[in-house]
Amino acid sequence: MSIVRTSRLSVRASPGELEHWNHIAHQHGHATTSHWIRSLLTDAELAGHDGSRVSDELREIRCQLSRAGNNLNQLAHSAHCGDAVHCGAVLDELETLIRQCDALLSRSRRTSARRRCERSAVILH
């Protein structure tokens, strides 16, 4: 039995945004962009996401990645100056950030196995 939908939700988008969203919807196996948007809204409701938590987490991860990048630059500078370089702590921090990203992606894409990203390599040190 199909659901009768008589109400309409309208979102304004630029032609580029609409084309991009249509492309993404089809990449993820949705017949229409409407179906994809409906799926996203349902997933957000079931997961209790109001939209702000993901962006806050992404900002924090971005900040931490920036710090890790600064640490790597300092290590590279020290190595070029002939100093002994110990990378274990930086690599541990990067592995922690990768796990945080994996957890965030897992929560944000819980219902679709096609959209889940599997890490191809593990950082060893």
Side-chain angles (χ1 to χ4, degrees):
M1 177 157 96
S2 78
I3 298 172
V4 177
R5 293 189 169 94
T6 58
S7 297
R8 180 180 203 107
L9 173 65
S10 179
V11 176
R12 293 193 183 274
S14 70
E17 286 174 323
L18 185 58
E19 183 179 333
H20 181 68
W21 293 342
N22 287 333
H23 179 72
I24 292 172
H26 289 110
Q27 270 187 328
H28 293 305
H30 296 281
T32 65
T33 303
S34 295
H35 182 264
W36 177 56
I37 298 297
R38 208 176 290 113
S39 173
L40 290 173
L41 291 171
T42 300
D43 289 352
E45 179 186 14
L46 293 173
H49 288 282
D50 63 2
S52 62
R53 202 167 83 201
V54 172
S55 63
D56 290 345
E57 287 185 46
L58 287 174
R59 275 197 261 316
E60 177 59 27
I61 290 171
R62 194 244 178 254
C63 184
Q64 290 178 18
L65 286 171
S66 179
R67 281 190 227 122
N70 288 338
N71 288 345
L72 287 172
N73 282 335
Q74 290 171 4
L75 289 170
H77 180 73
S78 293
H80 289 299
C81 292
D83 296 335
V85 176
H86 302 285
C87 300
V90 174
L91 293 173
D92 288 341
E93 184 176 352
L94 288 173
E95 182 63 24
T96 298
L97 293 173
I98 289 169
R99 283 193 204 106
Q100 288 175 348
C101 288
D102 288 347
L104 180 61
L105 289 170
S106 175
R107 285 195 308 272
S108 68
R109 297 178 177 167
R110 185 174 299 156
T111 59
S112 176
R114 284 188 299 251
R115 292 186 278 173
R116 196 163 282 133
C117 178
E118 299 295 330
R119 253 194 2 242
S120 60
V122 176
I123 296 175
L124 300 175
H125 56 285

